[in-house]
Amino acid sequence: MWYFVVPEVVFGEDALSRLAELKGKSAFIVTDKNIVNLGFIDKVKEQLSQAGIKSNVFDEVEPDPSLQTVRKGVVLMNQYQPDWIVAVGGGSVMDAAKSMRVEYERPDIKAEEINPFISDLGLGTKTKLICIPTTSGTGAEVTFAVVLTDTADQRKLGLINCEILSDIAIVDPAFTVAMPPQITSDTGMDALTHAVEGFSCTWKNDFTDGLCIRATQLIFQYLPRAVKNGQDMEAREKMHNAATVAGIGFGNSLAALAHATGHSLGAVFHTPHGRAVGLFLPYTIEFIGDAREELWTEIAYALKLEVPKGKKAASVLAQAIRDLSRNIKQPLSIKEAGIPSDKFNSSMEKLIDNTMADGSLIVSARVPNVAETEKFFRYAYEGKSIDF
Ligand SMILES: [Fe+2]
């Protein structure tokens, strides 16, 4: 049995005004200090007040949110008893809010216990969740997975359950205008990696294919523009839509090898998520190669890339992604990402272990063994195309 889940998605200019139509008494806004300083929370509160909803703000979500932060938010939620939770921010904020919502509605379940096999979370009776992304990349507004950090144990927890999905995603491009070029570029590469991996992993399906292909086209067309000029509202809007479309796509399929290796690199060297997974995407396509040649051909066709006779679509597509990356100032190799070779070499065992333990690896159309994983990292360090 397979299923496809998606929240109500409100998009485009003025999407935020959806808040003024809500029915309820109080909202609990989850965000971070940076978003407050940008004035976004005032805009959100203004719309909520038009609906007669009073709001409280929790602005303490940190990058890579911790279980401890989630607990802190839940204490306040219990105090305020909100009937709406509104997350305003990037993936970290939305993941924190999704987790808080579970503990608030189900005090008998701890966030770290969320797993795909709980079939009756019964969320939605006490509160509903709205996600308003301020970056165009993670897709967390439409996915049912969260990543939390247990600071006491120094470990990352990937938690999945299809009921933790938001009720409404508000995809309003106005919230992305202030995003600096580097973050636009990094998060855009995350969205591209979701789209390509969602289309090519072994859990791909008829419901997600079209979404992943369309998102790939939009990102190729509009990401360079959004990076070059943050005020280009057409590019901002298309990128914001693309990230959510890719989120629905890979959220109902899965991400694979580029995410497994990207998570691994990020855990050791703190490379931003999108930069890390985007870096590995062309190497991933080359490594999977013939196992998905038909699909690389489909993507190449959708992007109007020419595949000359005697050449593989995998290498043409990998090159096109490298050209895009170069254009938006992404590193093409681990070396270019600024990681010194001595630190890279001494971390090899950890990099391999992390990759092997990553849940994304199992849906890769070709799964590397330990020796191949090491070789993969070494090639990616030097910027060498995969030839094995
Ligand atoms: Fe991602």
Side-chain angles (χ1 to χ4, degrees):
M1 184 177 73
W2 291 78
Y3 46 81
F4 180 92
V5 290
V6 64
E8 173 189 330
V9 178
V10 189
F11 60 95
E13 200 183 335
D14 283 334
L16 188 67
S17 56
R18 174 72 178 86
L19 293 177
E21 300 170 352
L22 300 177
K23 305 228 173 328
K25 292 194 188 78
S26 73
F28 187 79
I29 299 171
V30 180
T31 188
D32 62 41
K33 298 227 161 36
N34 184 36
I35 300 293
V36 174
N37 292 337
L38 287 167
F40 290 162
I41 300 307
D42 292 336
K43 288 189 188 171
V44 168
K45 281 167 118 176
E46 197 183 298
Q47 293 291 332
L48 288 168
S49 72
Q50 281 187 41
I53 296 173
K54 64 172 175 34
S55 38
N56 293 99
V57 180
F58 176 78
D59 65 2
E60 293 176 41
V61 181
E62 71 277 45
D64 300 326
S66 65
L67 274 175
Q68 290 71 11
T69 300
V70 169
R71 298 275 134 73
K72 225 167 152 183
V74 174
V75 169
L76 293 170
M77 274 185 197
N78 285 329
Q79 210 172 306
Y80 298 129
Q81 294 289 308
D83 36 31
W84 288 98
I85 298 168
V86 184
V88 189
S92 297
V93 163
M94 293 187 275
D95 280 4
K98 286 178 187 165
S99 313
M100 288 174 195
R101 186 255 187 106
V102 173
E103 288 201 7
Y104 171 59
E105 290 207 77
R106 287 289 303 266
D108 56 320
I109 294 174
K110 299 244 169 298
E112 61 267 40
E113 294 165 0
I114 297 169
N115 69 68
F117 308 107
I118 311 175
S119 57
D120 55 350
L121 272 174
L123 303 180
T125 49
K126 219 164 142 182
T127 193
K128 296 216 185 300
L129 172 66
I130 298 181
C131 284
I132 308 178
T134 58
T135 57
S136 306
T138 70
E141 65 281 4
V142 288
T143 62
F144 48 86
V146 303
V147 181
L148 296 177
T149 301
D150 184 346
T151 46
D153 260 8
Q154 279 304 319
R155 60 184 180 132
K156 281 210 171 182
L157 309 159
L159 309 160
I160 297 179
N161 185 291
C162 67
E163 287 187 60
I164 66 173
L165 191 75
S166 68
D167 297 281
I168 305 175
I170 296 183
V171 185
D172 188 326
F175 284 77
T176 66
V177 181
M179 211 186 346
Q182 189 62 61
I183 298 179
T184 304
S185 173
D186 289 342
T187 53
M189 287 308 289
D190 190 21
L192 178 64
T193 309
H194 293 158
V196 174
E197 294 210 287
F199 186 73
S200 55
C201 75
T202 59
W203 283 11
K204 77 190 293 297
N205 60 77
D206 294 340
F207 291 82
T208 56
D209 282 353
L211 295 164
C212 292
I213 283 281
R214 184 67 186 133
T216 306
Q217 289 174 321
L218 288 170
I219 295 162
F220 262 82
Q221 191 173 353
Y222 293 101
L223 179 56
R225 273 173 57 180
V227 173
K228 206 167 167 212
N229 175 12
Q231 303 296 317
D232 180 341
M233 283 317 291
E234 188 192 18
R236 285 294 198 194
E237 181 171 343
K238 293 291 189 183
M239 269 312 297
H240 216 33
N241 290 347
T244 301
V245 170
I248 300 168
F250 98 99
N252 286 286
S253 162
L254 218 63
L257 179 59
H259 268 75
T261 45
H263 288 150
S264 175
L265 189 79
V268 179
F269 295 108
H270 306 287
T271 316
H273 174 76
R275 199 179 304 169
V277 299
L279 191 162
F280 289 120
L281 183 59
Y283 300 97
T284 295
I285 293 167
E286 289 166 345
F287 177 77
I288 293 171
D290 286 349
R292 283 294 196 232
E293 181 62 13
E294 213 176 297
L295 301 183
W296 309 136
T297 306
E298 280 189 47
I299 300 177
Y301 179 79
L303 294 173
K304 299 192 173 76
L305 299 173
E306 216 183 300
V307 183
K309 256 207 158 62
K311 263 209 148 189
K312 298 273 186 185
S315 71
V316 170
L317 179 59
Q319 188 53 48
I321 292 171
R322 289 192 174 104
D323 292 345
L324 172 77
S325 295
R326 181 62 83 208
N327 189 3
I328 59 170
K329 300 194 169 58
Q330 287 292 322
L332 299 189
S333 66
I334 302 175
K335 193 196 271 175
E336 269 186 27
I339 293 163
S341 64
D342 54 336
K343 288 209 173 103
F344 172 71
N345 286 324
S346 62
S347 307
M348 185 53 79
E349 207 180 312
K350 186 88 186 124
L351 288 170
I352 297 168
D353 286 353
N354 286 348
T355 305
M356 289 293 157
D358 197 283
S360 305
L361 195 65
I362 49 168
V363 298
S364 177
R366 181 184 167 202
V367 179
N369 60 30
V370 170
E372 286 167 338
T373 304
E374 175 168 354
K375 219 167 155 188
F376 183 94
F377 274 113
R378 295 207 182 279
Y379 272 53
Y381 188 85
E382 295 297 339
K384 254 174 86 179
S385 292
I386 303 286
D387 57 5
F388 57 91

Short mmCIF file of all heavy atoms in Angstrom, two decimals, residues 138 190 194 250 259 263 273 277, ligand 1:
data_model
loop_
_atom_site.label_atom_id
_atom_site.label_comp_id
_atom_site.label_asym_id
_atom_site.label_seq_id
_atom_site.Cartn_x
_atom_site.Cartn_y
_atom_site.Cartn_z
N THR A 138 13.97 23.60 1.67
CA THR A 138 13.82 22.36 2.45
C THR A 138 12.54 21.60 2.14
O THR A 138 12.50 20.38 2.25
CB THR A 138 13.80 22.64 3.97
OG1 THR A 138 12.57 23.32 4.29
CG2 THR A 138 14.97 23.49 4.39
N ASP A 190 19.38 22.51 -2.47
CA ASP A 190 18.65 21.48 -1.70
C ASP A 190 17.38 21.09 -2.46
O ASP A 190 17.10 19.90 -2.67
CB ASP A 190 18.29 22.03 -0.31
CG ASP A 190 17.75 20.97 0.63
OD1 ASP A 190 18.01 19.77 0.39
OD2 ASP A 190 17.09 21.34 1.62
N HIS A 194 16.34 17.47 -4.02
CA HIS A 194 15.08 16.78 -3.70
C HIS A 194 14.39 16.33 -4.98
O HIS A 194 13.89 15.21 -5.08
CB HIS A 194 14.13 17.71 -2.94
CG HIS A 194 14.62 18.06 -1.58
ND1 HIS A 194 14.21 19.18 -0.91
CD2 HIS A 194 15.51 17.44 -0.76
CE1 HIS A 194 14.82 19.23 0.27
NE2 HIS A 194 15.61 18.18 0.37
N PHE A 250 9.53 14.79 -3.37
CA PHE A 250 10.45 13.86 -2.67
C PHE A 250 9.86 13.42 -1.33
O PHE A 250 10.16 12.33 -0.85
CB PHE A 250 11.85 14.47 -2.49
CG PHE A 250 12.13 15.08 -1.15
CD1 PHE A 250 12.83 14.39 -0.17
CD2 PHE A 250 11.68 16.35 -0.85
CE1 PHE A 250 13.09 14.95 1.07
CE2 PHE A 250 11.93 16.93 0.39
CZ PHE A 250 12.63 16.22 1.35
N HIS A 259 21.82 12.76 -0.51
CA HIS A 259 21.44 13.16 0.85
C HIS A 259 22.21 12.36 1.91
O HIS A 259 22.60 12.92 2.93
CB HIS A 259 19.93 13.04 1.06
CG HIS A 259 19.21 14.32 0.75
ND1 HIS A 259 18.99 14.75 -0.53
CD2 HIS A 259 18.72 15.31 1.56
CE1 HIS A 259 18.38 15.93 -0.51
NE2 HIS A 259 18.21 16.30 0.74
N HIS A 263 24.42 14.53 4.26
CA HIS A 263 24.21 14.53 5.72
C HIS A 263 25.51 14.20 6.43
O HIS A 263 25.85 14.79 7.46
CB HIS A 263 23.18 13.44 6.12
CG HIS A 263 21.77 13.76 5.73
ND1 HIS A 263 20.85 12.79 5.43
CD2 HIS A 263 21.12 14.94 5.60
CE1 HIS A 263 19.69 13.36 5.12
NE2 HIS A 263 19.83 14.66 5.22
N HIS A 273 23.37 22.32 4.68
CA HIS A 273 22.71 21.14 4.09
C HIS A 273 22.61 21.20 2.56
O HIS A 273 23.02 20.27 1.86
CB HIS A 273 21.32 20.97 4.72
CG HIS A 273 20.52 19.89 4.08
ND1 HIS A 273 20.74 18.55 4.33
CD2 HIS A 273 19.51 19.93 3.16
CE1 HIS A 273 19.89 17.83 3.61
NE2 HIS A 273 19.14 18.63 2.90
N VAL A 277 24.45 18.59 -0.07
CA VAL A 277 23.74 17.63 -0.94
C VAL A 277 23.88 18.02 -2.41
O VAL A 277 24.00 17.16 -3.28
CB VAL A 277 22.25 17.44 -0.54
CG1 VAL A 277 22.14 16.91 0.89
CG2 VAL A 277 21.44 18.70 -0.71
FE FE B 1 17.40 18.13 1.65
#
